[in-house]
Amino acid sequence: KLTVGHKRTYIYLANQITEILFFCIPIILYFVTSSVLNYILIGTNGTVMSDIFRNIAVCIIAVIALSALTTFIAMTVKSSAGGILPIVLMYPLLMLSVMIDEFPEIKWLQTVGDMIPLSQIAMLLMPDKNAALHIMYSLIVTAFFMIVGIASFRKADLK
Protein backbone atom coordinates (compact mmCIF):
# COMPACT_ATOMS: atom_id res chain seq x y z
CA LYS A 1 0.00 0.00 0.00
CA LEU A 2 1.35 3.40 -0.93
CA THR A 3 0.39 5.14 2.31
CA VAL A 4 2.34 2.88 4.67
CA GLY A 5 5.80 4.22 5.46
CA HIS A 6 5.70 7.20 3.08
CA LYS A 7 5.35 10.90 3.82
CA ARG A 8 2.14 12.48 2.63
CA THR A 9 4.05 14.99 0.54
CA TYR A 10 5.73 12.14 -1.35
CA ILE A 11 2.41 10.37 -1.85
CA TYR A 12 0.86 13.53 -3.31
CA LEU A 13 3.88 14.22 -5.53
CA ALA A 14 3.95 10.60 -6.72
CA ASN A 15 0.33 10.93 -7.79
CA GLN A 16 1.10 14.29 -9.43
CA ILE A 17 4.00 12.81 -11.41
CA THR A 18 1.79 9.91 -12.50
CA GLU A 19 -0.90 12.35 -13.67
CA ILE A 20 1.65 14.45 -15.58
CA LEU A 21 2.95 11.35 -17.34
CA PHE A 22 -0.58 10.11 -18.03
CA PHE A 23 -1.55 13.47 -19.55
CA CYS A 24 1.69 14.38 -21.35
CA ILE A 25 2.86 11.13 -22.97
CA PRO A 26 -0.15 10.93 -25.35
CA ILE A 27 0.21 14.62 -26.20
CA ILE A 28 3.91 14.25 -26.98
CA LEU A 29 3.28 11.11 -29.04
CA TYR A 30 0.57 12.97 -30.95
CA PHE A 31 2.87 15.90 -31.70
CA VAL A 32 5.70 13.63 -32.84
CA THR A 33 3.58 11.43 -35.09
CA SER A 34 1.55 14.30 -36.55
CA SER A 35 4.72 16.30 -37.25
CA VAL A 36 6.44 13.36 -38.95
CA LEU A 37 3.37 12.47 -41.01
CA ASN A 38 2.81 16.13 -41.89
CA TYR A 39 6.39 16.41 -43.10
CA ILE A 40 6.15 13.19 -45.15
CA LEU A 41 2.70 13.70 -46.66
CA ILE A 42 2.29 17.47 -46.95
CA GLY A 43 5.72 19.04 -46.54
CA THR A 44 6.76 22.13 -44.65
CA ASN A 45 6.11 24.92 -47.14
CA GLY A 46 5.08 28.08 -45.32
CA THR A 47 5.52 26.55 -41.89
CA VAL A 48 6.74 28.88 -39.17
CA MET A 49 8.58 26.62 -36.75
CA SER A 50 8.59 29.18 -33.93
CA ASP A 51 4.76 29.24 -33.97
CA ILE A 52 4.64 25.45 -33.84
CA PHE A 53 7.09 25.20 -30.94
CA ARG A 54 5.31 28.03 -29.10
CA ASN A 55 1.97 26.22 -29.45
CA ILE A 56 3.51 22.94 -28.32
CA ALA A 57 5.01 24.63 -25.25
CA VAL A 58 1.70 26.28 -24.36
CA CYS A 59 -0.14 22.98 -24.83
CA ILE A 60 2.24 20.87 -22.73
CA ILE A 61 2.43 23.38 -19.88
CA ALA A 62 -1.37 23.83 -19.94
CA VAL A 63 -1.76 20.05 -19.75
CA ILE A 64 0.58 19.98 -16.73
CA ALA A 65 -1.56 22.70 -15.10
CA LEU A 66 -4.65 20.65 -15.88
CA SER A 67 -3.05 17.59 -14.28
CA ALA A 68 -2.26 19.65 -11.16
CA LEU A 69 -5.92 20.66 -10.96
CA THR A 70 -7.17 17.09 -11.36
CA THR A 71 -4.68 15.75 -8.83
CA PHE A 72 -5.74 18.43 -6.37
CA ILE A 73 -9.41 17.51 -6.73
CA ALA A 74 -8.82 13.77 -6.66
CA MET A 75 -6.55 13.88 -3.61
CA THR A 76 -8.52 16.36 -1.50
CA VAL A 77 -12.06 15.00 -1.99
CA LYS A 78 -12.59 12.42 0.73
CA SER A 79 -15.33 10.36 -0.90
CA SER A 80 -15.28 8.07 -3.90
CA ALA A 81 -16.39 11.07 -5.98
CA GLY A 82 -12.75 12.23 -5.97
CA GLY A 83 -12.06 9.94 -8.90
CA ILE A 84 -14.92 11.12 -11.10
CA LEU A 85 -15.12 14.78 -10.06
CA PRO A 86 -12.13 15.91 -12.18
CA ILE A 87 -13.79 14.45 -15.27
CA VAL A 88 -17.10 16.12 -14.45
CA LEU A 89 -15.28 19.43 -13.92
CA MET A 90 -13.85 19.31 -17.44
CA TYR A 91 -17.24 19.77 -19.10
CA PRO A 92 -18.05 23.20 -17.58
CA LEU A 93 -14.48 24.31 -18.28
CA LEU A 94 -14.82 23.22 -21.92
CA MET A 95 -18.15 25.04 -22.23
CA LEU A 96 -16.57 28.15 -20.69
CA SER A 97 -13.70 28.01 -23.19
CA VAL A 98 -16.22 27.92 -26.06
CA MET A 99 -18.17 30.84 -24.55
CA ILE A 100 -14.99 32.88 -24.37
CA ASP A 101 -14.59 32.69 -28.13
CA GLU A 102 -18.23 33.70 -28.66
CA PHE A 103 -18.04 36.83 -26.50
CA PRO A 104 -14.78 38.63 -27.35
CA GLU A 105 -16.12 42.01 -26.17
CA ILE A 106 -16.34 40.92 -22.51
CA LYS A 107 -12.87 41.68 -21.17
CA TRP A 108 -13.13 39.90 -17.81
CA LEU A 109 -14.22 36.73 -19.58
CA GLN A 110 -11.18 36.95 -21.84
CA THR A 111 -8.91 37.33 -18.81
CA VAL A 112 -10.50 34.32 -17.09
CA GLY A 113 -10.10 32.39 -20.34
CA ASP A 114 -6.42 33.19 -20.47
CA MET A 115 -6.04 31.64 -17.01
CA ILE A 116 -7.94 28.39 -17.63
CA PRO A 117 -5.73 25.63 -19.09
CA LEU A 118 -8.52 24.07 -21.19
CA SER A 119 -9.28 27.42 -22.74
CA GLN A 120 -5.61 27.88 -23.59
CA ILE A 121 -5.59 24.53 -25.37
CA ALA A 122 -8.82 25.37 -27.22
CA MET A 123 -7.24 28.57 -28.58
CA LEU A 124 -4.33 26.72 -30.20
CA LEU A 125 -5.99 26.28 -33.59
CA MET A 126 -4.04 29.35 -34.67
CA PRO A 127 -0.58 30.49 -33.58
CA ASP A 128 -0.77 31.69 -29.99
CA LYS A 129 -0.15 35.43 -29.79
CA ASN A 130 0.04 35.46 -25.97
CA ALA A 131 2.18 32.37 -25.46
CA ALA A 132 4.32 33.84 -22.67
CA LEU A 133 1.22 35.02 -20.79
CA HIS A 134 -0.48 31.64 -21.16
CA ILE A 135 2.63 29.79 -20.02
CA MET A 136 2.92 32.10 -17.00
CA TYR A 137 -0.75 31.57 -16.07
CA SER A 138 -0.37 27.79 -16.43
CA LEU A 139 2.72 27.79 -14.22
CA ILE A 140 0.86 29.84 -11.60
CA VAL A 141 -2.11 27.43 -11.72
CA THR A 142 0.28 24.47 -11.42
CA ALA A 143 2.18 25.93 -8.48
CA PHE A 144 -1.02 27.02 -6.71
CA PHE A 145 -2.77 23.66 -6.92
CA MET A 146 0.36 21.70 -6.03
CA ILE A 147 1.12 23.83 -2.96
CA VAL A 148 -2.49 23.94 -1.76
CA GLY A 149 -2.94 20.25 -2.53
CA ILE A 150 0.17 19.19 -0.61
CA ALA A 151 -0.77 21.43 2.32
CA SER A 152 -4.33 20.12 2.53
CA PHE A 153 -3.31 16.48 1.94
CA ARG A 154 -0.84 16.67 4.85
CA LYS A 155 -3.72 17.42 7.22
CA ALA A 156 -6.19 14.94 5.71
CA ASP A 157 -7.18 11.69 7.35
CA LEU A 158 -6.17 8.69 5.27
CA LYS A 159 -8.64 5.82 5.13
Side-chain angles (χ1 to χ4, degrees), residues 12-13 15-28 31 55-73 86 90 93 115-121 124 134-147:
Y12 189 90
L13 290 176
N15 286 330
Q16 178 63 52
I17 291 168
T18 304
E19 285 264 346
I20 288 172
L21 292 174
F22 180 76
F23 276 64
C24 286
I25 288 175
I27 296 283
I28 292 169
F31 283 135
N55 279 4
I56 289 173
V58 168
C59 183
I60 289 175
I61 294 173
V63 165
I64 291 171
L66 197 59
S67 73
L69 173 65
T70 58
T71 303
F72 170 76
I73 294 170
M90 296 306 154
L93 288 176
M115 293 180 194
I116 298 173
L118 276 175
S119 180
Q120 294 173 9
I121 294 170
L124 291 179
H134 290 152
I135 288 172
M136 182 188 69
Y137 281 145
S138 290
L139 292 175
I140 289 170
V141 166
T142 302
F144 174 78
F145 282 112
M146 285 182 70
I147 291 168

Side-chain angles (χ1 to χ4, degrees), residues 21-146:
L21 292 174
F22 180 76
F23 276 64
C24 286
I25 288 175
I27 296 283
I28 292 169
L29 289 174
Y30 169 77
F31 283 135
V32 169
T33 56
S34 66
S35 298
V36 168
L37 290 174
N38 186 35
Y39 179 74
I40 292 171
L41 299 174
I42 299 172
T44 58
N45 292 344
T47 303
V48 180
M49 293 307 285
S50 63
D51 289 343
I52 293 172
F53 287 128
R54 192 176 315 127
N55 279 4
I56 289 173
V58 168
C59 183
I60 289 175
I61 294 173
V63 165
I64 291 171
L66 197 59
S67 73
L69 173 65
T70 58
T71 303
F72 170 76
I73 294 170
M75 296 293 287
T76 55
V77 174
K78 303 291 184 268
S79 67
S80 60
I84 195 72
L85 195 58
I87 297 169
V88 172
L89 179 69
M90 296 306 154
Y91 292 113
L93 288 176
L94 281 171
M95 289 190 311
L96 181 63
S97 68
V98 170
M99 282 178 41
I100 290 167
D101 290 338
E102 295 298 321
F103 300 107
E105 67 275 356
I106 303 174
K107 296 297 179 197
W108 69 268
L109 192 58
Q110 297 298 319
T111 305
V112 169
D114 284 340
M115 293 180 194
I116 298 173
L118 276 175
S119 180
Q120 294 173 9
I121 294 170
M123 289 189 272
L124 291 179
L125 295 174
M126 301 300 247
D128 193 350
K129 294 176 181 29
N130 296 327
L133 181 68
H134 290 152
I135 288 172
M136 182 188 69
Y137 281 145
S138 290
L139 292 175
I140 289 170
V141 166
T142 302
F144 174 78
F145 282 112
M146 285 182 70

